[in-house]
């Protein structure tokens, strides 16, 4: 119920809008991630994708815990714990690649636990189609196999099936200079890291995993039951890997969310005191943030939570920009550009107009796609929020640019998004290529 209320009562998250743009151009791969999130958004829509993946993940946790403990009561405890993990809540409300990753990671974990090799291969393949870090589950399984000195023949088939799912994605990357894989490696491991970024990672685990569950994750991973070794590795491997990545570059708090899936199963077998502490602390975070989204009582200079979830729908006015610029003729604007791929995606979602990015911005899928066509004499808009002015690489292609108009996104009287919109007018004809020398134009006889 809480997930549905938050999903329907807030604006579409900017990353979700970016992936929605992918769903308008289905392919086997994209710059940032594999294609599963785009396929699901095209099939189910924005809200259904997140809510169904979230509900499916809770059900899969229930099934896994029931088989681990042979107890329906333990299964309900594990699924209840997962339902209040903040990171799981986010993935179950706003559609991102984490939404299908968590579902198929859990299904793969469950199938591997039961040694259902065919189902494990299919679930693992779908997890890899969601996000490349799904490979960490395979590493956890191999560590378990090495420890037990047992690798059933069926497990080889699981690996082959999962690899088959990934082949089209690898072929797409090969045709595009491996942009997706190289981006993941650079984004996760190549940057200005150190003790500060590692500290941010640790603090983020308490926020996204839950204040108590983040501590119990390490306890379970290191000192959990021996018969749970595979589940423990499925938690420890992502935590260690992304912890190391955080020491190399700035990380995102959501990267480790899949680690807490098996942690919830493990905590379901601990004392009731720890179970209640983990559940109520996670619930307190979830309810506190959810209430603030609709009834904000605190007032801070920049409320990031409200900024991310409200006020974006004002961008719908860009579908009729003549309302902002009285001298503009309807139909003269053919595209909207921004210096931010997330903002460009929100413009596309709310205004339904062609968009693009320009300037010294982070490389994105917009750089892989061709730019929207701009016929001579037509206009575009440039929109930004605390961002760069329109770059000369764009404005030099037009005759003039009008002074900006302010467009403000509000929520409950709070000024969240101070957008500025420029009217960039009258596209110049493309430069004529130089003529070849006379001798080059004559046919040789």
């Amino acid at each position: 119920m809480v997930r549905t209320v938050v999903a329907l009562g807030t604006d579409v998250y900017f990353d979700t809008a970016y992936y929605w743009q992918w769903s308008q151009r289905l392919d086997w791969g994209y710059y940032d991630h594999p294609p599963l999130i785009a396929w699901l958004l095209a099939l189910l829509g924005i809200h259904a994708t997140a809510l169904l993946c979230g509900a499916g993940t809770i059900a899969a946790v229930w099934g896994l815990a029931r088989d681990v403990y042979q107890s329906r009561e333990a299964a309900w405890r594990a699924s209840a714990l997962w339902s209040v993990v903040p990171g799981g809540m986010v993935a179950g409300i706003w559609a991102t690649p984490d939404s299908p990753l968590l579902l198929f990671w859990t299904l793969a974990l469950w199938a591997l636990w039961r040694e259902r090799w065919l189902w494990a291969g299919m679930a693992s393949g779908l997890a890899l189609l969601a996000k490349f870090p799904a490979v960490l589950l395979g590493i956890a399984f191999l560590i378990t196999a090495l420890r037990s000195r047992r690798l059933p023949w069926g497990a080889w088939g699981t690996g082959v099936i999962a690899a088959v799912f990934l082949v089209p994605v690898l072929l797409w990357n090969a045709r595009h200079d491996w942009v997706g894989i190289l981006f993941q490696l650079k984004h996760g491991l190549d940057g200005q890291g150190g003790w500060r970024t590692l500290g941010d990672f640790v603090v983020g685990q308490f926020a996204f995993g839950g204040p108590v569950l983040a501590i119990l994750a390490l306890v379970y991973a290191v000192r959990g039951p021996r018969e749970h070794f595979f589940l423990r590795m499925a938690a420890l491997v992502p935590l260690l890997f992304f912890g190391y990545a955080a020491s190399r570059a700035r990380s995102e708090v959501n990267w480790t969310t899949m680690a807490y899936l098996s942690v919830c199963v493990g905590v379901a077998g601990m004392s009731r005191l720890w179970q209640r502490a983990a559940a109520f602390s996670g619930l307190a975070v979830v309810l506190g943030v959810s209430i603030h989204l609709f009834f904000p009582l605190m007032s801070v200079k920049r409320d990031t939570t409200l900024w991310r979830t409200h006020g974006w729908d004002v961008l719908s006015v860009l579908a009729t920009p003549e309302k902002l610029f009285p001298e503009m003729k309807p139909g003269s604007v053919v595209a909207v550009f921004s210096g931010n791929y997330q903002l460009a995606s929100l413009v596309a979602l709310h205004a339904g107009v062609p968009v693009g990015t320009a300037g010294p911005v982070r490389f994105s899928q917009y750089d892989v796609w061709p730019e929207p066509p701009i016929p001579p004499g037509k206009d575009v808009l440039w929109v930004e929020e605390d961002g760069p002015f329109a770059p000369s690489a764009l404005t030099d292609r037009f005759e003039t640019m009008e002074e900006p108009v302010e467009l403000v996104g509000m929520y409950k009287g709070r000024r969240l998004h101070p957008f500025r919109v420029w009217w960039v007018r009258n596209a110049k004809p493309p430069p004529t290529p130089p003529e070849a020398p006379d001798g080059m134009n004559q046919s040789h006889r």
Side-chain angles (χ1 to χ4, degrees):
M1 180 65 71
V2 173
R3 296 185 182 200
T4 303
V5 170
V6 175
L8 299 180
T10 57
D11 289 352
V12 174
Y13 187 53
F14 47 74
D15 279 344
T16 300
Y18 181 47
Y19 304 130
W20 174 83
Q21 274 284 77
W22 296 3
S23 73
Q24 308 305 296
R25 305 184 189 185
L26 295 180
D27 208 334
W28 280 104
Y30 299 93
Y31 174 72
D32 309 65
H33 294 291
L36 185 56
I37 184 60
W39 299 350
L40 291 175
L41 288 170
L43 178 65
L44 301 173
I46 290 175
H47 295 308
T49 294
L51 292 171
L52 290 176
C53 285
T57 305
I58 293 174
V61 169
W62 189 95
L64 172 61
R66 181 199 58 189
D67 284 354
V68 169
Y69 294 106
Q70 296 299 305
S71 165
R72 295 171 67 90
E73 183 182 354
W76 286 115
R77 291 198 299 267
S79 59
L81 278 170
W82 173 252
S83 68
V84 294
V85 172
M89 284 287 293
V90 169
I93 294 173
W94 296 289
T96 69
D98 284 335
S99 306
L101 171 69
L102 296 174
L103 171 60
F104 292 111
W105 176 287
T106 311
L107 291 174
L109 189 64
W110 185 12
L112 288 168
W113 177 267
R114 300 186 62 189
E115 297 191 350
R116 298 294 192 264
W117 307 119
L118 173 62
W119 294 112
M122 296 177 65
S124 298
L126 289 168
L128 286 168
L129 286 177
K131 287 182 80 172
F132 291 121
V135 72
L136 297 175
L137 182 59
I139 295 174
F141 181 79
L142 289 176
I143 293 173
T144 305
L146 287 172
R147 180 180 180 272
S148 64
R149 299 182 181 179
R150 176 177 176 268
L151 185 62
W153 282 105
W156 293 95
T158 295
V160 170
I161 294 170
V164 168
F165 275 74
L166 197 57
V167 166
V169 181
L170 295 176
L171 292 176
W172 183 92
N173 271 270
R175 293 196 304 270
H176 293 84
D177 299 322
W178 303 100
V179 291
I181 294 174
L182 291 176
F183 165 76
Q184 291 296 329
L185 293 174
K186 183 176 181 180
H187 185 45
L189 298 173
D190 184 14
Q192 298 296 321
W195 289 109
R196 181 175 180 179
T197 55
L198 181 59
D200 291 342
F201 168 81
V202 172
V203 172
Q205 298 315 298
F206 287 92
F208 235 56
V212 175
L213 196 66
I215 298 173
L216 294 180
L218 291 179
V219 174
Y220 175 67
V222 176
R223 302 191 63 181
R226 295 185 63 182
E227 60 271 22
H228 287 197
F229 188 82
F230 174 43
L231 299 180
R232 292 159 54 197
M233 290 302 100
L236 188 61
V237 168
L239 290 172
L240 289 179
F241 177 81
F242 289 116
Y244 168 74
S247 70
R248 298 285 304 274
R250 187 183 67 85
S251 64
E252 304 291 343
V253 295
N254 64 293
W255 289 353
T256 57
T257 306
M258 65 281 221
Y260 296 99
L261 289 159
S262 55
V263 172
C264 287
V265 175
V267 174
M270 293 183 181
S271 71
R272 294 298 177 88
L273 175 64
W274 288 119
Q275 292 171 18
R276 292 190 182 99
F280 285 118
S281 62
L283 182 62
V285 173
V286 168
L287 289 181
V289 174
S290 299
I291 292 171
H292 180 67
L293 290 176
F294 297 101
F295 307 101
L297 300 177
M298 298 182 298
S299 181
V300 296
K301 185 176 182 179
R302 183 179 175 116
D303 193 321
T304 304
T305 304
L306 294 181
W307 179 84
R308 289 172 178 262
T309 54
H310 292 289
W312 299 104
D313 55 351
V314 72
L315 294 171
S316 61
V317 75
L318 299 182
T320 53
E322 58 271 16
K323 295 180 179 179
L324 297 176
F325 300 93
E327 297 180 2
M328 180 184 293
K329 295 180 180 179
S332 63
V333 171
V334 295
V336 178
F337 284 82
S338 174
N340 181 300
Y341 72 93
Q342 295 162 324
L343 179 54
S345 301
L346 284 163
V347 171
L349 176 69
H350 289 288
V353 296
V355 298
T357 58
V361 296
R362 200 209 83 172
F363 200 91
S364 71
Q365 185 63 31
Y366 289 108
D367 296 285
V368 179
W369 288 330
E371 183 184 274
I374 306 173
K378 290 295 184 178
D379 307 335
V380 300
L381 299 178
W382 175 265
V383 58
E384 59 86 9
E385 179 188 15
D386 299 327
F389 293 108
S392 59
L394 177 68
T395 57
D396 288 351
R397 296 156 54 187
F398 294 82
E399 297 289 348
T400 60
M401 183 169 68
E402 300 294 331
E403 289 297 314
V405 171
E406 189 175 55
L407 184 64
V408 180
M410 304 286 293
Y411 180 68
K412 292 187 178 297
R414 302 191 182 206
R415 181 185 173 96
L416 297 179
H417 304 286
F419 299 114
R420 290 191 298 173
V421 184
W422 280 265
W423 178 12
V424 190
R425 305 180 62 175
N426 197 12
K428 301 175 183 177
T432 304
E435 295 185 4
D438 291 343
M440 295 295 294
N441 292 326
Q442 297 178 358
S443 300
H444 294 285
R445 298 187 179 182

